[in-house]
Amino acid sequence: MNTDRSEALYAQACELIPGGVDSPVRAFTAVGGAPRFIERGEGAYLFDVDGNRYVDYVMSWGPLIHGHAFPPVLEAVSNAAALGTTFGAPTPLEVELAALITGAMPAIEMVRFVNSGTEAAMSAIRVARAFTGRDLIVKFAGNYHGHADMLLVSAGSGGLTFGVPSSPGVPAGATADTLIAPYNETDALESTFDSHGERIAAVILELVPGNMGVIGPFPEFLAAVRRLCDRSGALLIADEVITGFRVAAGGAQQALGLVPDLTVLGKIIGGGLPVGAYGGRREIMRLVAPEGPVYQAGTLSGNPLAMAAGIASLSALRAPGFHERLGDTTARVAGGLRTLAAEAAVPVTVNHVTGMLTVFFTGKPVRTLADAQSSDTRAFARFHAAMLDRGCYLPPSQFEAWMISSAHTDQIIDQTLPAAREAFRHAALDAGRD
Ligand code: PMP
């Protein structure tokens, strides 16, 4: 596969942009090799600047649930653009998208649009702190909620701890009110609440984590999160930036039967344009300015292009049977990968929910961050490189989710699976060489 133009662009980009990319994981650091520079996308396919075609399992990390260049989204965006791209004043499109979201997610009675998932999570925490009059938040190790200072945090020494900054430039004070707990471990969360419950404003979590690879929550763990929040007066913030409108029409909260106090959204609700949102119970959201005293603003928030793309995207996934089909496709890919790995005698665990999956290169079940971290990341890197060579574009990290869209037809998946058969063999054959 010729990648000359990508490599030349990457070299140039590295002189102009830190690491050559505008978001770190894109640089392929975890798997090696130069990132592909993309020229265009169409349905389930990506085309790079050297003319190579790939079946895309990244789908811009989640927004493109209908595939690339989805005609209804393109039409909505171009119609909106013709009328002007931003006014800094309210438009009917914001009301329409807000109605679609609150209609699909009953726990969201009011919603505020922002421009990214990072902004949405940061703002939801601010309003939760204002509502409860408390400062502490609980975050789970391995969950990701964007790069706001208070959330760029890792566990300090000891199991349950106050977090320490996970990036230079984040002052210790910014993470001093963030408690870190292990995901899916009920006892640990109970201890956190025993020690600090009365001071906890909110627990924020990915209902089905995608950022340590796809991991299903234990039902008793989710029930404990809800119960402990209720008992102590803390708010439960569901981060559905990835799972919202993907795992089910009403998000993972619908699929799992959990009612959060606040929900953080992004990705699909912008149809591929920059957007985020947070929303929840009316009495909480009424605190947000100008209705209430909690300040939060944005020049381009709710801009007509993002709103129009979001409306087109959400409307299309209301088609009858949409999520059933997406679930069937995901199960087909996951099942195929399991079988092929077994044939190649490569120990893997494939976790999947509707629209997202991860192939963990470990033989043990993956229910915690520690389980995920037991994966053989070098085997994953070999698998990734072999898949890329065979025209399959996977997330360039073991600890990410493959995204499935409605454009991934059976025929396209049939192209992927033979590539995976060879890639698993490659991963196994090369094992031990490096
Ligand atoms: N929350 C979750 C669960 C995410 O996966 C992400 C980003 N992938 C974010 C928040 C942050 O969103 P953004 O990159 O739009 O700021």
Side-chain angles (χ1 to χ4, degrees), residues 102-330:
T102 55
M105 294 187 167
I108 304 183
E109 293 174 344
M110 293 182 103
V111 62
R112 166 60 64 84
F113 293 109
V114 293
N115 299 295
S116 68
T118 295
E119 232 188 295
M122 182 184 88
S123 307
I125 288 170
R126 184 178 303 147
V127 73
R129 284 173 160 164
F131 183 78
T132 57
R134 303 171 179 181
D135 288 342
L136 295 184
I137 56 168
V138 177
K139 175 193 178 291
F140 294 98
N143 281 201
Y144 178 71
H145 309 290
H147 65 91
D149 280 356
M150 67 195 151
L151 293 165
L152 272 191
V153 57
S154 47
S157 57
L160 319 162
T161 56
F162 283 91
V164 295
S166 59
S167 166
V170 176
T175 57
D177 289 323
T178 308
L179 293 160
I180 299 292
Y183 192 83
N184 251 350
E185 294 183 27
T186 302
D187 291 352
L189 190 63
E190 277 170 354
S191 308
T192 303
F193 270 87
D194 285 347
S195 310
H196 307 287
E198 314 225 305
R199 296 171 56 217
I200 296 174
V203 176
I204 185 166
L205 79 167
E206 290 183 75
L207 297 186
V208 181
N211 286 290
M212 47 185 175
V214 174
I215 293 186
F218 290 121
E220 60 273 20
F221 170 73
L222 283 189
V225 176
R226 186 63 277 180
R227 187 183 67 244
L228 291 165
C229 284
D230 287 345
R231 194 187 294 160
S232 79
L235 299 188
L236 193 164
I237 306 177
D239 184 339
E240 295 233 43
V241 166
I242 294 180
T243 52
F245 297 94
R246 172 171 292 280
V247 169
Q253 55 194 264
Q254 178 190 36
L256 298 166
L258 178 107
V259 183
D261 300 299
L262 289 170
T263 299
V264 177
L265 295 168
K267 306 210 190 241
I268 292 171
I269 67 157
L273 272 79
V275 93
Y278 64 103
R281 293 211 316 268
R282 198 174 294 280
E283 58 171 331
I284 305 170
M285 291 303 290
R286 281 203 194 284
L287 289 181
V288 178
E291 192 156 349
V294 178
Y295 190 71
Q296 183 271 305
T299 302
L300 292 173
S301 295
N303 73 77
L305 297 194
M307 297 296 105
I311 292 163
S313 185
L314 293 196
S315 303
L317 56 75
R318 279 153 50 127
F322 181 93
H323 285 91
E324 286 75 9
R325 284 193 299 279
L326 189 67
D328 289 348
T329 308
T330 316

Side-chain angles (χ1 to χ4, degrees), residues 57-58 61 209-211 213-214 242 356-358 395 397-403:
Y57 286 100
V58 177
W61 303 91
N211 286 290
V214 174
I242 294 180
M356 50 199 283
L357 68 90
T358 297
S397 160
Q398 169 68 93
F399 306 107
E400 297 285 356
W402 303 25
M403 299 292 175

Side-chain angles (χ1 to χ4, degrees), residues 65-77:
I65 195 159
H66 307 291
H68 293 278
F70 181 53
V73 167
L74 297 189
E75 192 185 334
V77 170

